[in-house]
Amino acid sequence: MRDNPISMQVTFLGTNGWYDTVTGTTCSVLVQSEEYDIIFDAGNGIAKADRYITQQKPVFLFISHLHIDHIAGLHTLVKFRFNKGLCLCTQKGSVTDLMAFVREPYTIPFSDLPYKVEIIELAEGRHMMPFAVECLTLVHPVPCFGYRLEIDRKVITYCTDTGVCDNAIVLGRDADLLITDCGLKPGDVSPGWPHLNPENAIHIARQAHAKRLALMHFGAEVYGTLGERRELQQRYEKEWPDLIVATDDLAITL
Ligand SMILES: [Zn+2]
Ligand SMILES: [Zn+2]
């Protein structure tokens, strides 16, 4: 373990919920640690990963759930040349459905990609990947994992898509960066298809004592312009100073 904290880059490759629009592409977040490139979700934003990574480090891809906006970019994996291979992690019981999507005639199967791919099913709990990852189920119409990544003495939590739940708070505890869903506009609720509004996200971040909060997964039909996203920063300045309202290709250093 090093004495000096290593700086880490987090790049929001895709920040839209459900489909691509002029505001951006669907969900994907890149975390560049010293030894690994780690990606949360494979929405269409994942196709931009090679703008940022050298492809010389092992790549880990954590899938939250199988809604299309989180896996639609998997067909672009064929363009990459991950020299140290790809380890794809998805929740226990989801591999059969994932394989049904990533196969002929829709796209090229994992086994035919031009690099080594390992697929791992994760149960709820804590795992050594070799870095520590904790995954817990969130509140969503289909099984969905939130992830807590502990690496290079930093904690990054990724919780989308979800309603307010204890597991999001548990995963976000003392996180250096908590990334949440912001599918809804201020004050809006959607009990039948849980997502967060900005107040919900701030509530979770406060309960978790997260250091920084980033909002993404802005519903494509809800936030029609980037201006509507930016308004959130001003509106919640008092409740959460330095709120990060993510847009595609925004990069932050931890
Ligand atoms: Zn989604
Ligand atoms: Zn979803």
Side-chain angles (χ1 to χ4, degrees), residues 16-19 26-27 41 64-65 67-70 140 160-161 181 193 195 217:
N16 268 29
W18 210 235
Y19 54 90
T26 45
C27 293
D41 276 335
S64 64
H65 65 308
H67 275 153
I68 295 279
D69 52 330
H70 300 260
H140 205 50
T160 181
D161 307 11
D181 173 346
W193 189 284
H195 275 294
H217 195 288

Side-chain angles (χ1 to χ4, degrees), residues 61 74 77 86 88 95 98-99 102-103 107-117 119:
L61 171 58
L74 286 172
L77 287 177
L86 170 70
L88 185 152
V95 161
L98 188 69
M99 293 303 199
V102 186
R103 68 168 172 85
T107 186
I108 294 142
F110 292 116
S111 54
D112 289 354
L113 292 179
Y115 44 86
K116 195 169 159 279
V117 180
I119 296 177

Side-chain angles (χ1 to χ4, degrees), residues 63-122:
I63 301 290
S64 64
H65 65 308
L66 300 188
H67 275 153
I68 295 279
D69 52 330
H70 300 260
I71 60 169
L74 286 172
H75 69 297
T76 67
L77 287 177
V78 71
K79 70 181 268 198
F80 297 113
R81 296 294 180 271
F82 298 142
N83 281 301
K84 299 283 169 53
L86 170 70
C87 178
L88 185 152
C89 301
T90 183
Q91 59 190 303
K92 204 172 174 63
S94 67
V95 161
T96 306
D97 286 335
L98 188 69
M99 293 303 199
F101 181 75
V102 186
R103 68 168 172 85
E104 302 288 1
Y106 312 112
T107 186
I108 294 142
F110 292 116
S111 54
D112 289 354
L113 292 179
Y115 44 86
K116 195 169 159 279
V117 180
E118 184 185 8
I119 296 177
I120 297 179
E121 281 195 318
L122 296 176

